[in-house]
């Protein structure tokens, strides 16, 4: 949906920063027409309750005011692009209370590419030979930012949602995982757990998290291998999840947020952990 650029775009272009805190003005509210148009672009959000939508709108306004968007390769960032990303990035925050946006404190920049990019990669193999190749990327998260997203993949269609895909939630799930870690200690699928997680003492909660995720990851990889080698039914979750525990966590989060019921059927051990982590009420 095309929208005229309004004061909101001018605000974004100026890359103004708004910081939460007592005595500071609220971020500029999101205009009603823009808000409605953005939700219409994301029809899979229609199941949210009125108060959840209101929370999402407030978080999105604060998100937009505290992040800097950069269009790459001539892409001009307009209201629709910025708000679509803000809404999806803020969805996992809606039950996390007033400090929810702290999860995204470690970075400011969001780089939007028009389409997928080829990122140069290199690695040294066991024989000491240096290999260089180009990896197609539609998104990337890294410690301290920026988050990179390909705009062509930002608004998932009905089929993608049914498959549990959501690029924005995937990349921001990595930010949950990266928070509090150094660049030498990359994401590993083990985000900081909130105090009193599932009513458990911290060491018990950590062990439960670690053991449940590693068992589910091993089981998933096993099912994937059986599907690839022996033609058994492929697991529902995206095969990309088998790349690493950090990817398994990010793929699980995107599926959990866009297709909760299916995710709960497919990953019954993980759903209660994500319910507790994101403090999401039962339906
Ligand atoms: Zn990833």
């Amino acid at each position: 949906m095309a929208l005229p650029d309004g004061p909101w775009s001018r605000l974004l272009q100026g890359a103004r920063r708004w910081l939460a805190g007592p005595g500071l003005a609220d971020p500029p509210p999101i205009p009603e027409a823009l808000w409605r148009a953005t939700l219409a672009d994301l029809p899979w959000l229609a199941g949210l309750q009125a108060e959840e939508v209101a929370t999402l709108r407030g978080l999105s306004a604060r998100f937009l005011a505290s992040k800097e968007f950069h269009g790459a390769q001539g892409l001009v960032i307009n209201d629709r692009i910025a708000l679509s990303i803000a809404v999806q990035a803020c969805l996992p925050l809606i039950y996390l209370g007033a400090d929810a946006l702290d999860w995204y404190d470690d970075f400011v920049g969001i780089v939007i590419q028009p389409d997928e990019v080829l990122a140069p990669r290199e690695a040294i193999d066991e024989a000491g030979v240096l290999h260089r190749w180009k990896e197609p990327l539609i998104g990337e998260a890294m410690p301290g930012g920026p988050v990179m997203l390909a705009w062509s993949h930002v608004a998932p269609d009905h089929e993608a949602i049914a498959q549990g895909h959501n690029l924005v939630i995937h990349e921001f799930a990595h930010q949950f995982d990266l928070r509090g870690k150094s660049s030498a200690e990359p994401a590993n699928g083990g985000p900081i757990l909130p105090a009193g997680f599932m009513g458990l003492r911290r060491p018990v909660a950590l062990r439960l998290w670690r053991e449940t995720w590693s068992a589910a990851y091993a089981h998933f990889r096993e099912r994937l291998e059986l599907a690839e080698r022996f033609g058994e039914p492929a697991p529902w979750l995206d095969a990309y999840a088998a790349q690493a525990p950090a990817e398994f966590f990010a793929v699980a989060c995107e599926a959990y947020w866009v297709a909760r019921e299916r995710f709960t059927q497919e990953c019954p051990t993980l759903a209660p952990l994500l319910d507790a982590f994101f403090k999401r009420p039962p339906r």
Side-chain angles (χ1 to χ4, degrees):
M1 182 176 292
L3 286 160
D5 282 353
W8 190 262
S9 283
R10 287 199 293 279
L11 186 111
L12 281 177
Q13 281 162 15
R16 255 177 51 192
R17 305 273 302 280
W18 170 85
L19 299 170
L24 292 173
D26 283 344
I30 296 165
E32 184 64 25
L34 173 62
W35 180 248
R36 284 177 184 276
T38 304
L39 290 190
D41 282 342
L42 304 169
W44 48 276
L45 287 172
L48 291 176
Q49 313 277 327
E51 68 266 42
E52 293 166 336
V53 173
T55 304
L56 187 57
R57 188 169 175 171
L59 283 166
S60 300
R62 289 170 59 204
F63 179 94
L64 286 171
S66 61
K67 298 287 175 246
E68 288 173 3
F69 288 79
H70 307 274
Q73 302 185 60
L75 180 73
V76 177
I77 304 296
N78 60 23
D79 293 340
R80 178 185 162 209
I81 292 176
L83 187 56
S84 178
I85 290 163
V87 168
Q88 296 177 77
C90 290
L91 181 65
L93 305 177
I94 59 176
Y95 307 110
L96 297 180
D99 299 331
L101 274 166
D102 289 0
W103 280 102
Y104 300 156
D105 258 3
D106 289 353
F107 69 99
V108 170
I110 299 171
V111 175
I112 317 297
Q113 297 280 353
D115 209 339
E116 71 172 32
V117 291
L118 290 173
R121 296 284 190 245
E122 58 178 52
I124 297 171
D125 70 14
E126 285 160 11
V129 179
L130 175 67
H131 296 267
R132 288 201 176 93
W133 72 98
K134 290 198 167 156
E135 183 186 11
L137 279 186
I138 56 170
E140 193 169 35
M142 59 193 87
V147 172
M148 188 282 278
L149 298 161
W151 171 241
S152 56
H153 289 73
V154 160
D157 60 17
H158 178 73
E159 198 180 324
I161 290 297
Q163 291 296 315
H165 295 323
N166 186 291
L167 173 66
V168 178
I169 295 175
H170 179 105
E171 299 307 335
F172 281 82
H174 282 314
Q175 291 298 336
F176 272 86
D177 194 358
L178 285 165
R179 187 156 189 254
K181 293 181 174 126
S182 66
S183 49
E185 181 200 13
N188 57 9
I192 298 168
L193 299 180
F197 180 78
M198 298 183 101
L200 301 169
R201 287 185 301 114
R202 185 165 293 275
V204 182
L206 285 173
R207 195 168 64 237
L208 173 70
W209 184 276
R210 205 169 40 234
E211 288 176 357
T212 310
W213 281 91
S214 60
Y217 181 60
H219 179 62
F220 177 73
R221 286 173 51 114
E222 200 178 305
R223 282 183 62 202
L224 201 60
E225 199 175 321
L226 289 173
E228 282 165 2
R229 292 180 58 186
F230 303 111
E232 299 222 350
W236 171 70
L237 216 54
D238 191 345
Y240 186 69
Q243 296 272 321
E247 296 305 336
F248 187 59
F249 172 71
V251 168
C253 287
E254 55 177 310
Y256 169 81
W257 277 104
V258 301
R260 186 190 198 177
E261 275 180 35
R262 183 74 193 265
F263 177 81
T264 305
Q265 287 164 13
E266 299 285 338
C267 304
T269 59
L270 300 180
L273 295 187
L274 290 180
D275 285 341
F277 182 75
F278 292 113
K279 303 184 177 173
R280 198 173 178 188
R283 273 279 184 270

